């Protein structure tokens, strides 16, 4: 019997990639469970029902109260699976703003810390093939909880390490996890906040201007400065000299949930950017749920066809050199021409 590969714990966790299936999905309009095809995590269905009509957990409770619910872990595979079940906080990924849940080795500080699972989930939970496990949990809202939205999730992390490979002297692998979102509202003043910051434009122009399109990328940052979840929509516009419109993209939903206190970096491709102009780019953001919530920021750039300008400068320099050399050739001849001898005429 071949010995099982030994995985160095420090090497594993330094290079471990956690594939978070079901956590990066946009908000669903219909009830869907977080599922990677092998196992799923979702709110426990009502007694006697096979499926739930809840997409995620939605609860509210004042400071000092306790809310109870249950999460179901479903094993859809043909083999026994063992999971580590834990509650944690949600974040937006800095680049792109995708919804994500913190990994098991990062301690939660918000609703994940308020959530306590039943004792049977204290270590690991083993679920037979085609089986399921319902795990009760409670959310105890602390007395000093701030009003607004607190977002996290309940995660089932498969304890099996997959895709083991050798990297030098260390064997690394992958652990997969699936989680169900938990939205918790603490009653109180609701203060939506959204700001657009750090608008920048980077350009790449063709070597021969106007033969191919110039390309640009508009980057910007969205920040949720309020205490509630915001689903932003963004409009992009740009004006050239004399107010000429060179870009006009109407407001559109970004299909992401921007959590309170989070900031994300986004980009907007511009495949046919101006090649010669003085341009002002404007990013405007808002949210359908909060019509009065608007923010905008601008950035300017000068589009110059540098290759063509360089060619013109070279040609101008060559013409100037030609004229100077020509003048120098003519000057000695002009100086050698005889002048009339005024004395000899008398």
């Amino acid at each position: 019997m071949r010995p099982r590969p030994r995985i160095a714990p420090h090497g594993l966790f330094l290079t471990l990639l956690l594939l978070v299936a079901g956590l990066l999905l946009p908000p669903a309009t219909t009830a869907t469970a977080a599922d990677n095809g092998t196992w799923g995590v979702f709110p426990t269905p009502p007694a006697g029902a096979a499926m739930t009509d809840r997409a995620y957990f939605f609860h509210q409770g004042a400071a000092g109260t306790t809310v109870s619910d249950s999460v179901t872990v479903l094993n859809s595979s043909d083999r026994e699976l063992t999971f580590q079940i834990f509650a944690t906080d949600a974040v937006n990924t800095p680049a792109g703003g995708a919804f994500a849940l913190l990994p098991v080795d990062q301690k939660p500080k918000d609703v994940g810390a308020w959530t306590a699972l039943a004792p049977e989930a204290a270590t690991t939970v083993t679920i037979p093939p085609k089986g399921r496990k319902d795990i009760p949990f409670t959310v105890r809202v602390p007395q000093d909880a701030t009003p607004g939205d607190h977002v996290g999730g309940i995660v089932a992390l498969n304890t099996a390490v997959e895709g083991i490979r050798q990297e030098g002297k260390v064997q690394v692998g992958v652990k997969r996890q699936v989680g169900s979102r938990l939205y918790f509202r603490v009653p109180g003043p609701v203060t939506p906040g959204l700001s657009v910051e750090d608008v920048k434009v980077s350009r790449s122009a063709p070597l021969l201007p106007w033969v191919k399109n110039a390309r640009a990328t508009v980057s910007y940052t969205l920040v949720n400065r309020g205490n509630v979840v915001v689903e932003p929509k963004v409009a992009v516009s740009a004006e050239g000299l004399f107010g000429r419109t060179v870009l006009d993209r109407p407001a559109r939903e970004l299909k992401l949930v921007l959590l309170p206190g989070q900031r994300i970096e986004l980009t907007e491709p511009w495949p046919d950017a101006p090649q010669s102009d003085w341009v002002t780019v404007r990013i405007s953001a808002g949210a359908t749920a909060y019509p009065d919530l608007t923010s905008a920021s601008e950035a300017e750039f000068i589009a110059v066809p540098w290759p063509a300008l360089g060619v013109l400068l070279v040609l101008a320099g060559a013409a100037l050199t030609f004229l100077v050399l020509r003048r120098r050739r003519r000057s000695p001849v002009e100086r050698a021409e005889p002048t009339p001898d005024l004395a000899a005429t008398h």
Side-chain angles (χ1 to χ4, degrees):
M1 179 182 295
R2 294 181 58 187
R4 296 181 63 183
R6 183 177 180 182
I7 302 171
H10 61 282
L12 174 61
F13 288 107
L14 285 176
T15 55
L16 182 64
L17 172 65
L18 293 178
L19 299 181
V20 186
L23 304 185
L24 306 183
L25 297 175
T29 56
T30 57
T32 56
D35 195 321
N36 65 3
T38 305
W39 70 92
V41 182
F42 49 88
T44 299
M51 294 300 297
T52 178
D53 59 354
R54 294 188 290 171
Y56 310 115
F57 295 101
F58 294 92
H59 287 294
Q60 69 174 5
T65 61
T66 299
V67 175
S68 299
D69 205 333
S70 176
V71 62
T72 293
V73 181
L74 177 67
N75 179 4
S76 303
S77 72
D78 296 323
R79 65 184 187 279
E80 183 179 84
L81 296 176
T82 299
F83 301 98
Q84 183 176 357
I85 314 295
F86 63 95
T88 190
D89 296 337
V91 295
N92 289 107
T93 57
F99 185 99
L101 296 175
L102 296 179
V104 66
D105 57 348
Q106 190 167 344
K107 187 175 181 180
K109 299 179 180 179
D110 198 59
V111 69
W114 307 349
T115 305
L117 300 172
E120 59 263 34
T123 54
T124 59
V125 174
T126 299
I127 302 177
K130 307 298 182 183
R132 60 178 259 188
K133 178 71 173 179
D134 300 336
I135 303 171
F137 67 88
T138 56
V139 181
R140 293 181 174 86
V141 187
Q143 293 288 350
D144 59 351
T146 57
D149 291 336
H150 301 263
V151 187
I154 299 178
V155 181
L157 171 66
N158 190 353
T159 59
V161 179
E162 304 176 15
I164 298 173
R165 66 182 185 276
Q166 194 78 25
E167 290 190 1
K169 297 182 179 180
V170 178
Q171 290 179 324
V172 297
V174 173
K175 284 186 177 180
R176 293 194 296 161
Q177 66 182 35
V178 174
S180 183
R181 304 184 190 189
L182 169 59
Y183 292 90
F184 200 97
R185 170 71 63 88
V186 176
V190 171
T191 309
L194 180 65
S195 65
V196 183
E197 302 176 3
D198 303 328
V199 179
K200 299 176 183 177
V201 181
S202 60
R203 296 179 63 251
S204 61
L207 194 59
L208 296 176
W210 300 288
V211 174
K212 292 184 178 180
N213 289 335
R215 295 180 177 275
T217 299
V218 182
S219 60
Y220 59 98
T221 300
L222 289 184
V223 186
N224 185 343
R225 299 192 179 279
N227 64 355
V228 291
V229 166
V230 172
E231 297 182 34
K233 58 181 181 180
V234 169
V236 185
S237 61
E239 289 186 353
L241 287 172
F242 312 113
R244 183 172 58 93
T245 299
V246 294
L247 179 65
D248 185 12
R249 296 179 182 173
R252 73 184 192 283
E253 300 285 349
L254 296 183
K255 305 301 181 184
L256 61 84
V257 175
L258 186 55
L259 307 178
Q262 297 287 298
R263 60 186 302 123
I264 60 176
E265 298 175 1
L266 301 171
T267 58
E268 188 83 18
W270 191 358
D272 55 348
Q275 302 200 39
S276 177
D277 210 336
W278 190 320
V279 183
T280 301
V281 177
R282 180 181 179 88
I283 302 292
S284 305
T288 302
Y290 305 100
D292 296 332
L293 182 62
T294 59
S295 178
S297 186
E298 297 179 347
E300 293 184 347
F301 72 93
I302 299 177
V304 178
W306 293 112
L309 184 61
V311 171
L312 291 176
L313 290 175
V314 170
L315 292 176
L320 181 62
T321 302
F322 174 77
L323 292 174
V324 169
L325 291 176
R326 184 181 178 187
R327 184 174 182 81
R328 286 180 178 177
R329 289 194 200 101
R330 295 182 60 184
S331 295
V333 176
E334 293 173 354
R335 287 195 297 269
E337 291 179 356
T339 56
D341 189 351
L342 298 180
T345 62
H346 292 83

